[in-house]
Amino acid sequence: QQPVQSPQAVILREGEDAVINCSSSKALYSVHWYRQKHGEAPVFLMILLKGGEQKGHEKISASFNEKKQQSSLYLTASQLSYSGTYFCGTERSSGYSTLTFGKGTMLLVSP
Amino acid sequence: DAGVIQSPRHEVTEMGQEVTLRCKPISGHDYLFWYRQTMMRGLELLIYFNNNVPIDDSGMPEDRFSAKMPNASFSTLKIQPSEPRDSAVYFCASSFAVASNEQFFGPGTRLTVL
């Protein structure tokens, strides 16, 4: 089943913070986060694995609550370059399954 | 490496015509995925291959859709006959693993069926 993302859209001024949530009704093994700029391909941001291992880059962080089957992406001191649509992709708890992506959260950072 | 390569970038065709989308994955990646992206449904997995073998095609919407991977460096997604509701952006992605690993997406093919 498709994970649910919230909010659907958010508008920020440069330097402000934002949180994007991803929730699943199924037990999860991992959660992936991607960012897609308009007219471009999705680009990998971060993966969070069951058991607490975290990978990522840039100045964006995320958490993964396995019991609640939820993940949150934290964008602090947002930059103009953060604008885009953020997708979470979830992997079922059995592992070795394909990703199911949410519908995305559109983020616009203005000067 | 040049990344995942897709062609064409844009395709406009008329209903009933055959459409073939092409993808060259990153060398060394064992997994190749075909996705379709629409505003209504978001990013949907159509089919994926492991070592050139189709593993799961449960996301292929109808028999009008077919995909092949004749070798490790080339895959095609074919729609025959095409319909207006097939209009979408089709992405190809490749990876070292089915999940728990980064997927590298190609630039996509924007398909418009009139």
Side-chain angles (χ1 to χ4, degrees):
Chain A
Q1 281 189 335
Q2 192 173 39
V4 177
Q5 291 187 231
S6 63
Q8 289 185 324
V10 59
I11 299 175
L12 299 174
R13 288 200 177 274
E14 203 172 3
E16 292 182 338
D17 302 340
V19 180
I20 299 172
N21 300 303
C22 175
S23 178
S24 174
S25 60
K26 303 286 187 181
L28 301 175
Y29 181 78
S30 71
V31 179
H32 302 223
W33 287 96
Y34 284 77
R35 178 173 62 206
Q36 183 179 28
K37 293 186 179 288
H38 182 69
E40 298 181 6
V43 174
F44 174 80
L45 289 176
M46 189 173 302
I47 178 174
L48 300 107
L49 302 174
K50 185 177 180 180
E53 183 180 357
Q54 178 174 331
K55 303 177 186 178
H57 63 95
E58 294 189 7
K59 299 177 181 178
I60 299 172
S61 62
S63 64
F64 178 23
N65 186 323
E66 299 160 32
K67 291 183 179 179
K68 292 186 176 181
Q69 295 139 216
Q70 293 176 346
S71 177
S72 294
L73 187 71
Y74 305 96
L75 302 100
T76 56
S78 59
Q79 306 170 16
L80 296 177
S81 62
Y82 287 3
S83 293
T85 300
Y86 290 77
F87 295 94
C88 69
T90 55
E91 178 190 6
R92 292 195 310 271
S93 62
S94 57
Y96 299 100
S97 70
T98 55
L99 294 180
T100 303
F101 285 94
K103 289 189 175 181
T105 295
M106 191 178 303
L107 176 72
L108 176 63
V109 181
S110 61
Chain B
D1 200 318
V4 176
I5 299 172
Q6 289 187 247
S7 65
R9 293 293 308 277
H10 302 273
E11 177 80 31
V12 180
T13 190
E14 294 188 345
M15 183 173 62
Q17 296 298 306
E18 177 180 299
V19 176
T20 300
L21 312 181
R22 297 172 177 79
C23 174
K24 175 178 168 41
I26 292 174
S27 177
H29 283 185
D30 293 331
Y31 289 84
L32 183 140
F33 307 85
W34 281 101
Y35 290 93
R36 178 173 67 177
Q37 186 175 40
T38 61
M39 288 296 293
M40 288 294 293
R41 301 172 70 93
L43 201 58
E44 302 175 279
L45 178 67
L46 300 177
I47 184 172
Y48 82 94
F49 295 82
N50 176 212
N51 292 323
N52 313 337
V53 177
I55 303 300
D56 184 355
D57 65 354
S58 60
M60 297 285 259
E62 302 172 31
D63 291 344
R64 298 184 295 107
F65 286 70
S66 63
K68 294 181 180 180
M69 192 167 186
N71 57 63
S73 59
F74 184 65
S75 177
T76 60
L77 178 68
K78 185 177 294 186
I79 308 172
Q80 165 63 17
S82 58
E83 297 182 3
R85 59 193 168 124
D86 301 331
S87 297
V89 180
Y90 292 81
F91 287 104
C92 172
S94 69
S95 176
F96 286 114
V98 64
S100 303
N101 209 292
E102 177 179 359
Q103 291 187 16
F104 294 81
F105 283 78
T109 296
R110 181 174 295 276
L111 174 65
T112 302
V113 183
L114 303 174

